[in-house]
Amino acid sequence: MIEHVRSIKDFDVRYKVVLVRVDFNLPMVGGKVTDTSRLVRVIPTLKYLIANNAKIILLSHYGNPKGKFILGMSLSPVVDELSKALGGKDIKFAVDILESSTKDKIDKLLPGEIMLVENIRFHAGEEENDIEFAKKIARLGDIYVNESFSCSHRNHASIVSLPKLLPSAKGLLLAEELENLNKHLQNPVKKVMAITGGAKVSSKIALLKALIEKADHLVIGGAMANTFLKAKGYKVGRSLYEEDYTQTALTILKESEQKQCKIILPSDVITAKTLENDASYEVKSSSQVSDDDMILDVGPRFLADIIYGLDEVKTVIWNGPLGAFELKPFDIGTITISRAIAESTLSGKLTSIAGGGDVVSAINSSGLSHNFTYISTGGGAFLKWLEGKTLPGIQALMDSARTCPVT
Ligand code: ADP
Ligand code: MG
């Protein structure tokens, strides 16, 4: 798949206006960016374009403004962070991609200069994938670069239509992402342990079905496990679970047997009566949860089993936190597994790939991300990729390679 996608290095970008679709949908609180990990990862591409005298226009969305200008969803707080990450470089900002003043600003850009454009989802044409909207943007640039793997599962104008209209390439981070996913997960070294968690079975059915094909062991934690436990006849009290998906859970359990994939559910759990920081908690066997309990994390016996199981596998694929990790101490399961995977990877025994918005933020906050073999920048895109789907944004780059010549 990657062979047919061109890289920015295949283009002569000198003095060209390069439209780079990035993912600056960064966590922000009160107009301040709280985590720049996503931004930092596109810096190599920006430095490459600066060094090669391109005129750089950055396009991104933030949140879900649904085609309207919403002040609290402005990308302007990103300007300072981007400037800092580039050693104090001046970053220009355009308030509206379609305004004629933006075109004037682009005409005045010098080689190596960068302009960030305001939240592209302030225009309904972005999410509607309106080709006329895309054409107006395409007129502003010479080359399109997709540097947002994490948005490549979206059929949006800046992801799938711009590559139809301009010579297009993958950025360095998108290239790295595809290389790693292909190398480690296309035909993963056996045995494979997949670890899934998070809130809902309903959002991950296709993922679970794909994982039982690929993995020898499928560990299920998080609130997702509650639906499985309930389906198997356990009491889950007031825990988050999905009644409507207990049948799906049973089907997945049955299919896993046919595929010779062993599903591992929590044998013990951490329960509390309230969902809050520092709530008093108990460790219980999964069969002893009472009516007023909430299962908020996996238990120590289960964790020990998983850590022991890591010794038997060569590849770990992880998506979804094992507990309500935003609240302490219900992050312990996720952090303990994160540490064990990091250690095995460091000692060369394991290839470890993790992806997904929440699990990646949990791994990042524990400071262990650099010890994993690869941390995907994708949430939904990582899931779609694991499900075996070709992402529309990547497909668009492949199509562009056939139809739009290199400039
Ligand atoms: P990811 O973004 O990694 O794919 P999800 O979005 O599917 O993960 O799920 C993450 C959410 O699941 C987190 O907000 C976390 O608090 C929640 N969660 C996990 N386990 C539990 C649990 N036992 N009870 C309630 N919420 C849980
Ligand atoms: Mg999530």
Side-chain angles (χ1 to χ4, degrees):
M1 162 159 130
I2 17 181
E3 298 73 45
H4 311 297
V5 177
R6 292 179 304 210
S7 154
I8 44 171
K9 295 199 169 165
D10 298 330
F11 288 79
D12 182 0
V13 296
R14 278 174 304 168
Y15 317 122
K16 303 271 169 52
V17 176
V18 181
L19 304 177
V20 189
R21 176 48 158 108
V22 289
D23 184 356
F24 285 171
N25 186 29
L26 310 175
M28 290 193 218
V29 177
K32 279 236 163 292
V33 176
T34 54
D35 180 356
T36 55
S37 349
R38 262 194 186 147
L39 179 145
V40 169
R41 292 185 70 176
V42 306
I43 296 299
T45 285
L46 300 184
K47 286 191 172 161
Y48 174 86
L49 291 171
I50 295 166
N52 284 280
N53 283 315
K55 302 173 185 179
I56 306 152
I57 311 295
L58 301 178
L59 305 173
S60 176
H61 76 280
Y62 176 77
N64 270 316
K66 305 223 180 305
K68 292 202 177 61
F69 175 85
I70 296 178
L71 189 59
M73 291 192 185
S74 171
L75 275 175
S76 56
V78 176
V79 170
D80 282 351
E81 297 301 329
L82 185 57
S83 171
K84 263 187 247 162
L86 286 165
K89 188 177 173 66
D90 177 48
I91 307 293
K92 303 194 182 320
F93 187 69
V95 290
D96 184 347
I97 185 80
L98 299 187
E99 249 183 32
S100 60
S101 61
T102 299
K103 164 98 178 70
D104 298 341
K105 279 186 184 167
I106 294 174
D107 289 343
K108 290 195 188 107
L109 274 187
L110 299 174
E113 285 193 327
I114 299 186
M115 187 167 86
L116 172 65
V117 178
E118 182 57 286
N119 194 346
I120 194 156
R121 286 192 191 164
F122 285 169
H123 288 281
E126 166 65 357
E127 291 193 73
E128 287 165 4
N129 189 19
D130 175 1
I131 191 75
E132 295 309 319
F133 173 64
K135 279 181 187 163
K136 287 178 195 157
I137 301 176
R139 270 183 226 127
L140 301 171
D142 303 308
I143 296 170
Y144 167 82
V145 173
N146 181 340
E147 190 56 314
S148 55
F149 173 78
S150 49
C151 305
S152 295
H153 60 310
R154 308 254 181 228
N155 264 308
H156 293 172
S158 68
I159 301 291
V160 294
S161 286
L162 286 181
K164 289 200 178 95
L165 303 165
L166 288 169
S168 305
K170 59 187 171 187
L172 304 178
L173 174 63
L174 179 60
E176 178 190 278
E177 184 87 45
L178 294 174
E179 253 166 54
N180 273 285
L181 297 187
N182 279 303
K183 181 170 158 205
H184 300 299
L185 298 186
Q186 197 70 270
N187 292 300
V189 183
K190 291 249 175 191
K191 289 179 171 178
V192 176
M193 179 189 281
I195 305 177
T196 57
K200 295 179 183 165
V201 172
S202 54
S203 60
K204 293 186 182 171
I205 298 170
L207 173 75
L208 292 168
K209 293 199 168 179
L211 289 177
I212 56 179
E213 302 271 347
K214 253 191 189 14
D216 301 281
H217 308 288
L218 172 59
V219 175
I220 302 180
M224 244 172 50
N226 301 341
T227 304
F228 279 83
L229 291 172
K230 178 78 181 170
K232 289 185 73 163
Y234 290 79
K235 280 190 180 171
V236 297
R238 294 190 298 119
S239 308
L240 182 63
Y241 84 102
E242 293 172 292
E243 181 64 41
D244 293 349
Y245 286 86
T246 48
Q247 201 51 47
T248 307
L250 289 177
T251 310
I252 289 169
L253 285 168
K254 195 154 159 241
E255 281 178 19
S256 70
E257 277 170 31
Q258 289 153 7
K259 312 274 183 201
Q260 278 152 27
C261 169
K262 189 172 172 225
I263 290 192
I264 306 165
L265 293 168
S267 49
D268 58 346
V269 290
I270 308 291
T271 65
K273 310 286 183 205
T274 52
L275 183 61
E276 60 186 4
N277 248 324
D278 301 320
S280 63
Y281 64 90
E282 284 179 272
V283 180
K284 290 193 172 181
S285 156
S286 302
S287 58
Q288 278 166 349
V289 174
S290 47
D291 290 344
D292 57 347
D293 279 337
M294 273 186 283
I295 301 173
L296 295 177
D297 200 4
V298 294
R301 185 153 41 109
F302 173 77
L303 287 172
D305 286 346
I306 303 310
I307 293 169
Y308 187 68
L310 282 177
D311 278 344
E312 285 177 43
V313 302
K314 295 266 191 292
T315 306
V316 166
I317 309 171
W318 187 8
N319 168 265
L322 298 180
F325 75 99
E326 297 93 337
L327 301 171
K328 286 187 192 317
F330 311 110
D331 56 345
I332 288 179
T334 304
I335 289 177
T336 305
I337 289 298
S338 190
R339 195 165 290 136
I341 294 174
E343 275 168 20
S344 291
T345 310
L346 258 186
S347 65
K349 286 192 286 193
L350 196 65
T351 296
S352 53
I353 311 286
D358 290 293
V359 80
V360 167
S361 81
I363 297 170
N364 282 342
S365 64
S366 64
L368 295 162
S369 53
H370 60 282
N371 293 337
F372 278 63
T373 308
Y374 194 70
I375 302 275
S376 174
T377 51
F382 178 71
L383 296 186
K384 286 276 174 299
W385 193 94
L386 277 178
E387 288 163 19
K389 309 227 166 75
T390 302
L391 308 181
I394 311 301
Q395 184 66 50
L397 291 180
M398 292 194 276
D399 295 344
S400 171
R402 284 198 298 274
T403 54
C404 289
V406 170
T407 57

